[in-house]
Amino acid sequence: MKNREENAKKGAVIGIVGNALLSALKIITGAFTGSMAITADGLDSATDILTSVITLVSTNLSKKPPDEEHPYGHERAETIASKIISMIIFFAGAQLAIFSMQKLISGKLLVENLPIVLSVAFISSAGKYALYKYKLYIGHKIDSDVFIADAINMKSDIFISLSVAAGMVIVKLTGLFVFDAILGLFVSAFVIKTAIELFMSSSYELMDGIQPRDDIYRRVLEEAANTNGVSNPHRIRIRKFGYKYFVELDMEVKGDITVNEAHELSKTVEKNIKQNVPKVYDVHVHIEPLGNVEKETFGLDKSRIFGRKGDADGQ
């Protein structure tokens, strides 16, 4: 847990410093050259400073232990932060679109010192690529939705900066400065698209859902089914809180065994799942007699789990 906190703090601070430097460079360049595209890119990087701050705050909040108001812990603070980041990115994209439209309408399209704008765009691309790889590495290392969301945002910024560079080449070759404002609109559309994708992706966890590519259900089922004395593990329900999984399942045992024996079997299943399925924090097991038939609330069993879209084995 301590290493997770240290990695999160270090990653957020590096994001704040890196984006602050790139944002200042691009906004200053835009002010002196009149380039709407590089200014738009700079404003986008300015919002990235805020997303890094949100990342830092949310990871600090998520490490708080469970309490009476939050018995499952505070890990979903990171998921909420991902939502906030997506809305900030959307707002930035909308603002960029407005600025670009205003420039097109006003007709003030002249861009000076194109080589400088081009150089800054390439510097930004390299810087954003470094931040993307680093934040993605941290996100996967500590299994943080908010860091992965921020990394995806950095990845889109690489494309934005390269697009700015390409636009400056076109302007240089054609002499048509209108391409700068059009590129600003294009960049804003890409930013808005990224924001919508991030918003939808974080909805899985907030809705107690598991993404189709996650094989956590299959692994939990296998661990329960492979335990001697256990039959028909079913009504499996899993919730993800930050990087932790909370598992609930029913299982059948022989009806003539003692309560103590049934309890030991449930403890064995819990132990096997926690030991062999990464990031499982808690397991709740409900015991039923072998062959039990009753109307139950929804949960996944073998047929549903291996029929899920995106199952790793395609079964």
Side-chain angles (χ1 to χ4, degrees), residues 4 12 53 66 76-77 114 151 160 195 199 201 210 214 217 219 226 269 274 291 305:
R4 187 178 193 274
V53 171
R76 278 194 178 166
L114 287 177
I160 290 172
F199 185 89
S201 177
I210 299 293
D214 194 334
Y217 273 102
R219 299 185 68 177
N226 290 336
V269 169
K274 285 184 176 180
I305 290 172

Side-chain angles (χ1 to χ4, degrees), residues 34-138:
S35 171
M36 189 65 243
I38 200 69
T39 301
D41 195 6
L43 291 173
D44 179 57
S45 291
T47 64
D48 293 337
I49 301 171
L50 183 56
T51 63
S52 292
V53 171
I54 292 172
T55 299
L56 179 60
V57 172
S58 66
T59 49
N60 282 333
L61 179 59
S62 69
K63 71 184 181 183
K64 293 176 62 178
D67 53 36
E68 292 182 4
E69 290 79 20
H70 307 90
Y72 288 98
H74 297 76
E75 280 78 13
R76 278 194 178 166
E78 294 186 10
T79 311
I80 295 172
S82 297
K83 288 286 188 189
I84 296 173
I85 288 174
S86 70
M87 288 185 280
I88 291 172
I89 295 171
F90 182 89
F91 176 77
Q95 285 293 106
L96 299 182
I98 292 171
F99 291 156
S100 298
M101 285 298 298
Q102 287 175 340
K103 189 164 185 178
L104 279 172
I105 294 170
S106 68
K108 298 178 180 179
L109 302 171
L110 183 64
V111 178
E112 300 176 350
N113 297 313
L114 287 177
I116 293 178
V117 177
L118 186 62
S119 298
V120 170
F122 279 123
I123 292 171
S124 175
S125 299
K128 288 292 185 177
Y129 179 77
L131 286 173
Y132 158 67
K133 294 295 287 185
Y134 179 69
K135 291 212 167 191
L136 189 65
Y137 165 75
I138 294 293

Side-chain angles (χ1 to χ4, degrees), residues 211-226:
Q211 301 233 25
R213 64 177 180 271
D214 194 334
D215 69 343
I216 180 72
Y217 273 102
R218 178 181 62 81
R219 299 185 68 177
V220 166
L221 173 68
E222 289 175 348
E223 291 301 326
N226 290 336

Side-chain angles (χ1 to χ4, degrees), residues 230-247:
V230 172
S231 300
N232 189 30
H234 62 285
R235 206 166 71 94
I236 303 173
R237 294 179 290 186
I238 301 175
R239 287 179 284 181
K240 193 169 187 283
F241 285 73
Y243 65 99
K244 297 177 180 177
Y245 290 102
F246 289 78
V247 178

